[in-house]
Structures are given as C-alpha cells and as structure tokens.
Amino acid sequence: MKTRQVRTALIGCGKVGRIHAGALATLNCSKLVAVCDGHHERAEGFAKEFGGDAFVDVAEMIETAEPEAVCICTPHPLHADPAVLALNAGVHVLVEKPLAATLADCDRMIAAAKASGATLSVVSQRRWFEPVARVKAAILAEKIGKPSLAVVGMFNWRDASYYESDPWRGRWATEGGGVLVNQAPHQLDLLHWFMGEIEEISGAWSNINHPTVEVEDTAVAIVRFKSGALGSIVASLGQKPGLFTHVHVHGSNGASVGVETDRGASFIAGVSSIAEPPLNDLWNVPGEEDRLSTFRDVDRNRFSRIDATSHYHVLQIEEFLHAIILRHAPAVSGEDGRTVVAMFTAIYRSQRDGMPVKFPVIA
Ligand SMILES: NC(=O)c1ccc[n+]([C@@H]2O[C@H](COP(=O)([O-])OP(=O)(O)OC[C@H]3O[C@@H](n4cnc5c(N)ncnc54)[C@H](O)[C@@H]3O)[C@@H](O)[C@H]2O)c1
C-alpha cells in the first residue's frame, strides 16, 4: 500500500534546517512543497538543493504553498510566532528544541494548537537512541522497581568561535539562555520522561568559563518528583575538551540503568557530527548484569552503519508525520516541550528568588 504523502514545509534554512530538509525531501510520507527563511538566498539555496518553492515570509508561504505540516528551525525566541501562525491556519507543527525560550511563548503555542486542533510537537531526537529507549523500557517493566534517584551530568564544551558563528548565540535576548536552553533540553526531557511529574526544582547557574557571552555556561539543580523520587542536574559547557553527558536512573530495588547520550562535546549541527555512539554505561538489573557488553556491541555496530547525526532526527520527523496521517498524538507533545521550558525557567527563578520553585510553573 502506498503511504500518503503529507505536504510539508521548512521554516528556518540554517544549520539544523539542513537535517530537516533532507528528511522532508526523502521520507516516503513527505512531499516537501516549500522552504522559508528570512534570508532570501538561504531559502533559494535550500529550494534548489531539496525541492519546494522558496519564501521569505511565513504567512505568504502558508497561504501560497498550503503545507499540511511545517518544521520550525529558527532561533529559540523566534519559534513561537511562526508556530502560532501555522497552528492558527490548521497546519501541524514540529518545532526544534526547546519548544520556546519562555513559558508565555509555550502557552501561546499550546493554546493555538488546542484552538485549531492541529498537532504541536517538539524535537527530542535522543528519545530514539536505542540505549535511551532501553532505559525507558526497563523503567516501564519495573526492572529497577520504582525510579527513585536520577542523575543528569553534562560536561560539555563550546568555544568562542561557536558563539561568534551566529549573532543570536550567547545573548539572553536572542538565545533565551545558555546551556540550559540550548544544549541541556535533550537531557531535561529524558529526565522528565524517565522519572515522571515534577514537584519542585531548586537551582543555581553561573558563567564559569565563557567571559565573552552573557548567558550561563553552567547550571546545577535539585529536582523533587511528585513520586517522592529525587534528581540532580549538573549541566556545563565549561570542560575542555568536552567529556561526556549521561543520564542515570537508580531504582527502589537497588538496581541502576543509565545511558551516555553523548561522548566528548555534543555535536554542533552543520559544524560537527556525532563522533561516538550513544551507549548504555550502567546496567545493574538483577539477572541482566552480563547484558551491558552485548548492548554496547550492538549499538557500536549499528553506529558504524548509520549517519547518527541525521538518523534520529529522521526517525522523529517520520513518527511526527505518521501521527498526522494516522490521526494520533505524536510521541513528544507540546506539553512535554513546555515541561522542559518550565524546568529551565524554574532554575533561573530559583536562583533569582533564592528558593525552590513549585510546579506547575506559571508564565
Ligand atoms: N535537535 C538538535 O540536535 C539541534 C541541533 C542544532 C540546533 N537545534 C535547534 O535548531 C534551532 C536552529 O538552530 P541552528 O543552529 O540551525 O540556527 P541557524 O542560525 O543556523 O539557523 C536559523 C535560521 O532561521 C532563519 N530565521 C530566523 N528567523 C526566521 C523567520 N522568522 N522566518 C524564517 N526564517 C527565519 C535564519 O535566517 C537562519 O537561517 C534552534 O532552536 C536550535 O536549538 C537543534
């Protein structure tokens, strides 16, 4: 049976936009009809390379090209306006992470999706990493009892040339924040996905190693979950060279499972690739202690056969389009995206007010 093709478009023909355009141009379930960028030559270049018509204005693109779904790959404070425009027109939206830079923007986007019935989803492609899915499956199967303690550790690096590569990077007004807003949303999403609803967060942030930028390069936080579980977050861009990023979950039966989502510095779209495979780095499940080396062999072997930098984006974009075709909710919801924004907002507010921040966090 031939798959239905969703009429798709891309907003934001920049670095990660290239990965989205490649997916939208090649997936069986997508017909790329338009690409849009504030810079005309970027849109023209993408149209030539990937297909579709080029636009500089989102409203005009939606009216003329009539996409059913768009991927939004603009800088963080510029996610909400094109998303609301599209959702108001009944167009389904997949936004790059984080959903937005502020809770007020998240609420506008979620309200627009509710009002029109269109789907709102957010990229969190690390959920499709096999070792991440294995951790989630182990938790669901209660192999660690109840998840009772989680540890996120990100020891990453970005140098001055990264911040100089685009004028929006490194500033509160145009990036919305630092490591919490740009690099850590993936692991914040995994933490919430693994552990469940959050009760409160206390946190602190600093810029320890990047004197030329305004935003934080380091943050730490204590998370209390509604279940009574605890979590800790240390997210930093201050280790040169970048070391690793992991998410570990310890359970009520004493067992532990974990994943190293990134080795070294995490990849920079359009600049570097995922150089080493994501791997389980902890698997103390009773009766499964010998499985870690097999998991790692399987995952290393797969890594040598795929382009991991685009592969997991393609899987999530495909899942989003299938959800539209089959009229069910996508794996990652707009509310999931809002939770991540609430998590970093809570850390900023906790430092500002000198107290823990209760959930739900209001805009
Ligand atoms: N999921 C991931 O692994 C991943 C990786 C890299 C970037 N990202 C996210 O992708 C987004 C973009 O990052 P990037 O590195 O590609 O940035 P970029 O600066 O390379 O690209 C952004 C593009 O958006 C365009 N743009 C800005 N406002 C626009 C508007 N109103 N209409 C149309 N086009 C507009 C710019 O001209 C630019 O071409 C950010 O949210 C970032 O956090 C995600």
Side-chain angles (χ1 to χ4, degrees):
M1 197 177 75
K2 196 172 177 299
T3 321
R4 174 166 102 73
Q5 287 192 310
V6 178
R7 291 171 64 81
T8 56
L10 172 71
I11 300 170
C13 303
K15 288 185 271 303
V16 88
R18 174 165 289 280
I19 296 178
H20 285 251
L24 295 177
T26 52
L27 280 169
N28 284 337
C29 53
S30 163
K31 179 176 170 54
L32 180 61
V33 296
V35 294
C36 178
D37 196 284
H39 290 98
H40 186 251
E41 67 287 356
R42 287 191 194 170
E44 286 286 354
F46 266 47
K48 253 197 205 115
E49 190 173 344
F50 298 104
D53 295 327
F55 293 85
V56 288
D57 182 71
V58 176
E60 191 191 332
M61 179 193 80
I62 290 171
E63 204 179 311
T64 313
E66 298 184 340
E68 299 170 74
V70 293
C71 290
I72 298 184
C73 298
T74 52
H76 317 139
L78 304 175
H79 287 178
D81 283 351
V84 168
L85 239 159
L87 290 163
N88 283 345
V91 176
H92 307 288
V93 170
L94 175 64
V95 195
E96 259 302 344
K97 47 50 53 173
L99 184 62
T102 66
L103 286 170
D105 274 356
C106 293
D107 290 342
R108 287 201 289 137
M109 297 159 88
I110 290 169
K114 277 212 175 97
S116 70
T119 298
L120 173 63
S121 182
V122 61
V123 173
S124 186
Q125 82 272 15
R126 281 167 179 75
R127 286 201 195 187
W128 277 261
F129 286 4
E130 290 78 5
V132 167
R134 221 175 263 133
V135 168
K136 176 69 178 175
I139 292 170
L140 286 177
E142 299 186 2
K143 290 185 177 180
I144 61 168
K146 292 207 176 327
S148 48
L149 174 66
V151 180
V152 171
M154 169 181 280
F155 302 95
N156 204 343
W157 174 251
R158 290 290 183 264
D159 58 21
S161 66
Y162 167 80
Y163 289 104
E164 287 156 10
S165 66
D166 294 296
W168 60 270
R169 294 185 198 277
R171 296 174 211 281
W172 290 103
T174 49
E175 188 170 357
V179 64
L180 287 171
V181 172
N182 199 325
Q183 285 75 29
H186 297 282
Q187 287 72 25
L188 299 184
D189 178 61
L190 296 184
L191 182 66
H192 170 237
W193 194 43
F194 292 158
M195 300 299 290
E197 291 307 298
I198 295 166
E199 177 73 33
E200 64 173 33
I201 293 186
S202 333
W205 60 266
S206 179
N207 181 325
I208 61 172
N209 216 353
H210 290 85
T212 61
V213 307
E214 290 175 5
V215 295
E216 89 285 355
D217 67 0
T218 299
V220 300
I222 297 168
V223 185
R224 191 179 288 280
F225 294 91
K226 282 208 161 59
S227 65
L230 294 174
S232 90
I233 300 167
V234 177
S236 184
L237 296 176
Q239 292 70 46
K240 185 183 179 184
L243 302 173
F244 59 83
T245 300
H246 64 205
V247 184
H248 289 174
V249 184
H250 309 276
S252 57
N253 65 358
S256 305
V257 289
V259 54
E260 183 179 83
T261 57
D262 303 74
R263 171 126 288 259
S266 61
F267 85 103
I268 303 171
V271 177
S272 60
S273 304
I274 299 180
E276 297 199 47
L279 295 171
N280 291 113
D281 58 349
L282 184 59
W283 202 269
N284 286 332
V285 171
E288 297 188 2
E289 292 82 356
D290 58 347
R291 295 185 73 177
L292 187 58
S293 63
T294 312
F295 291 157
R296 291 167 71 91
D297 288 347
V298 168
D299 292 341
R300 280 204 187 92
N301 183 287
R302 178 187 314 99
F303 184 80
S304 67
R305 290 180 281 109
I306 60 170
D307 172 6
T309 309
S310 58
H311 179 75
Y312 297 96
H313 262 95
V314 175
L315 291 183
Q316 182 171 359
I317 292 167
E318 185 173 40
E319 191 273 343
F320 166 71
L321 296 174
H322 282 166
I324 289 166
I325 293 168
L326 300 171
R327 295 168 188 264
H328 62 66
V332 191
S333 67
E335 283 76 9
D336 291 336
R338 189 192 190 280
T339 298
V340 168
V341 178
M343 292 167 85
F344 64 64
T345 301
I347 297 172
Y348 292 142
R349 285 190 193 169
S350 174
Q351 163 144 320
R352 184 194 66 190
D353 300 340
M355 59 170 81
V357 173
K358 294 268 179 220
F359 276 57
V361 186
I362 310 298

